[in-house]
Amino acid sequence: MHKSILKPSLSLAKIFNMSFGFLGIQMGFALQNGNASRILQTFGADVEHLSLFWLAAPLTGMIVQPIIGHYSDRTWNRLGRRRPYFLAGAVFTAIALIFMPNSAVLSAMLPPLLIGAGMLMIMDASINVTMEPFRALIADNLPREQRSLGFSMQTFLIGLGAVLGSWLPYLLAEYIGVSKIAEAGFVPDNVIYSFYVGAAVLIVSILWTVFTTKEYTPEQLESFETGDTIVVTQPLIKRGFFSGLADDIKNMPAAMRQLGVVQFCSWFALFLMWVFSTPAIAEHIYRVPAGDTASVGYADASNWVGVLFGIYNAVSAIYALCLPRIARLIGRKSTHALSLTVGGLALGSIYFMSTPEMLIIAMVGIGIAWGSILAMPYAILSDSLPARKMGLYMGLFNFFITFPQIVSGLTSGFLIKYAFQGQAIYALLGAGCLMIIGAISVRKISE
């Protein structure tokens, strides 16, 4: 038995350092979100098939994150407990960032579309390896009263990285003069160079966290008294991932199950937005004919989508700094419900907009929802998880993020094609409705 002691509070600088790697992770993630559909369409993918290619992200996340969480709970070496995993994931993510937009160059071996889809899958798997330990690191290193601050700091850096990643292709094209169009079947230079910059920033930011952050040993973690978190003091039973998985799912905290409904609606909506924003805005706002991916109009729409994604991420970064105070005033659940409602109304409003500039208004509301989605569920969840299985349950919680994306990927393309005659704008309208349903479901969570 270990004597319980209080986990010490950390300075703002230390919380910043342990979260800084998320800047690079989200920069790479934003480059993928803003440009994957464009790249895949350039290589020949039809709009109704885009969601199927995007299934790579949730499928790999569903498999990878619980496994990485399980083994990072049981890892301790010279680099620590979580750091070995997000360092390895960062290296493979950077490699995928370099190769994905250059898939056409490798066409002598395989069709560019197949190579691009493969790089998308590798990138998603690597990002998941990198991302999951960061969530667990906050719960490991911070006492209960600082966790909202910790997850909000992560959200701030996520927003900042996403702004950089989302705006980079536009800035390179409009202010530096890098070409924004290319011959049919090839990705423009402004996108390619953006992916190179994203890879470099990812490696540097991850190394910053690795060299500036210390982790508690398993023995130290076991000795801490962490408020409502369950501290297990008996010897750890060495079991494989699959042998103990059924029991871990059976013993899942009630708050985690209830959050699942909210997460399903939220992430189904986000998946629709990420996949269909480029074709929806190109056709609905820029009046680009369906299937046209080589025109200046399509390039302008694609670059503007990147700017819009940067705006909502910038809003989320600022909003994240306000979340701890708002949560203290009205509670975590009310904060999250209000944020999702604002985001849902903003998504639905895009259907009624007619100019590119009007879309900025919608991005403000989406940014408020996104900032809360990245912080509040984890802050609510972390208080109910056992310390020794923090990584595992954070990984299992990812199921409630990946499953709705898989359902969306399998169904949304067919709905757009057959129910809405290929008009992608209806995906954004549906996303708004789903997010409001998620806001209503927040009230049923028992903290």
Side-chain angles (χ1 to χ4, degrees):
M1 299 288 289
H2 293 269
K3 182 180 179 180
S4 292
I5 59 174
L6 292 175
K7 185 181 292 185
S9 297
L10 298 185
S11 67
L12 192 62
K14 290 182 178 180
I15 296 174
F16 176 87
N17 287 339
M18 80 168 70
S19 303
F20 189 67
F22 246 120
L23 176 79
I25 295 172
Q26 196 63 28
M27 187 171 179
F29 196 52
L31 284 165
Q32 173 187 297
N33 282 348
N35 297 281
S37 289
R38 176 184 188 176
I39 291 171
L40 293 172
Q41 280 191 292
T42 298
F43 294 152
D46 297 324
V47 65
E48 64 266 20
H49 295 150
L50 286 177
S51 60
L52 297 177
F53 286 106
W54 275 73
L55 283 175
L59 282 172
T60 53
M62 181 179 288
I63 296 169
V64 169
Q65 287 212 18
I67 295 175
I68 294 299
H70 170 83
Y71 285 106
S72 69
D73 283 340
R74 287 157 171 73
T75 294
W76 185 256
N77 56 35
R78 292 177 61 186
L79 277 178
R81 190 184 194 191
R82 314 293 182 186
R83 288 177 293 174
Y85 293 92
F86 55 68
L87 179 59
V91 172
F92 284 102
T93 303
I95 293 171
L97 282 167
I98 292 170
F99 278 100
M100 185 178 177
N102 290 299
S103 298
V105 178
L106 306 174
S107 59
M109 295 181 291
L110 290 169
L113 182 59
L114 185 59
I115 297 173
M119 288 297 109
L120 179 62
M121 180 171 287
I122 293 172
M123 191 185 309
D124 284 319
S126 304
I127 286 175
N128 277 292
V129 170
T130 308
M131 193 177 296
E132 194 284 331
F134 262 102
R135 298 292 190 193
L137 184 65
I138 290 293
D140 286 346
N141 283 11
L142 295 181
R144 179 186 179 186
E145 60 272 13
Q146 282 194 307
R147 286 180 183 168
S148 289
L149 174 61
F151 288 118
S152 294
M153 178 65 76
Q154 281 193 350
T155 302
F156 169 75
L157 290 166
I158 285 170
L160 183 59
V163 170
L164 296 174
S166 299
W167 285 0
L168 199 52
Y170 178 83
L171 294 175
L172 289 179
E174 301 301 326
Y175 293 97
I176 301 180
V178 181
S179 177
K180 64 182 179 182
I181 58 174
E183 60 182 283
F186 286 84
V187 176
D189 285 345
N190 68 318
V191 176
I192 293 175
Y193 294 153
S194 296
F195 274 61
Y196 293 165
V197 173
V201 172
L202 173 60
I203 293 297
V204 170
S205 64
I206 290 291
L207 289 175
W208 179 282
T209 292
V210 168
F211 289 121
T212 61
T213 301
K214 294 182 179 180
E215 295 187 73
Y216 293 118
T217 66
E219 292 76 19
Q220 288 174 313
L221 284 173
E222 190 173 333
S223 70
F224 289 133
E225 180 182 8
T226 55
D228 290 339
T229 301
I230 303 167
V231 180
V232 182
T233 55
Q234 65 267 31
L236 182 66
I237 300 173
K238 297 291 186 179
R239 294 189 298 178
F241 172 71
F242 293 103
S243 61
L245 184 60
D247 287 340
D248 292 326
I249 293 174
K250 180 180 178 181
N251 296 323
M252 184 184 297
M256 186 170 172
R257 297 180 188 274
Q258 294 157 351
L259 273 166
V261 179
V262 181
Q263 294 290 84
F264 182 91
C265 295
S266 303
W267 286 91
F268 199 117
L270 290 169
F271 191 81
L272 290 173
M273 182 186 72
W274 291 330
V275 173
F276 293 107
S277 283
T278 295
I281 290 172
E283 297 166 16
H284 189 68
I285 304 294
Y286 285 81
R287 304 301 178 187
V288 175
D292 178 1
T293 62
S295 66
V296 173
Y298 182 82
D300 287 339
S302 300
N303 289 337
W304 187 240
V305 168
V307 173
L308 293 173
F309 279 18
I311 290 171
Y312 89 71
N313 279 290
V315 171
S316 76
I318 297 169
Y319 185 61
L321 300 178
C322 305
L323 278 172
R325 177 168 294 183
I326 298 172
R328 284 196 298 269
L329 290 174
I330 65 175
R332 292 170 176 174
K333 292 197 304 181
S334 296
T335 299
H336 196 41
L338 177 62
S339 303
L340 291 179
T341 300
V342 172
L345 293 173
L347 271 168
S349 71
I350 295 175
Y351 178 82
F352 303 98
M353 295 179 175
S354 57
T355 66
E357 293 75 19
M358 290 177 68
L359 296 169
I360 295 174
I361 300 172
M363 293 303 116
V364 174
I366 293 169
I368 288 173
W370 179 233
S372 186
I373 288 169
L374 290 174
M376 284 297 102
Y378 297 96
I380 295 170
L381 177 66
S382 63
D383 287 346
S384 64
L385 298 182
R388 271 189 169 170
K389 295 188 176 181
M390 189 68 70
L392 172 64
Y393 276 119
M394 285 290 183
L396 286 175
F397 189 59
N398 190 59
F399 175 85
F400 299 121
I401 295 173
T402 57
F403 179 67
Q405 294 180 70
I406 291 170
V407 175
S408 179
L410 291 173
T411 60
S412 57
F414 295 102
L415 286 173
I416 296 301
K417 181 176 181 178
Y418 296 108
F420 302 115
Q421 291 74 51
Q423 298 180 62
I425 188 63
Y426 287 102
L428 304 187
L429 185 60
C433 296
L434 279 168
M435 200 162 283
I436 291 174
I437 295 172
I440 297 171
S441 301
V442 172
R443 308 307 306 174
K444 297 183 178 180
I445 300 171
S446 56
E447 291 189 78

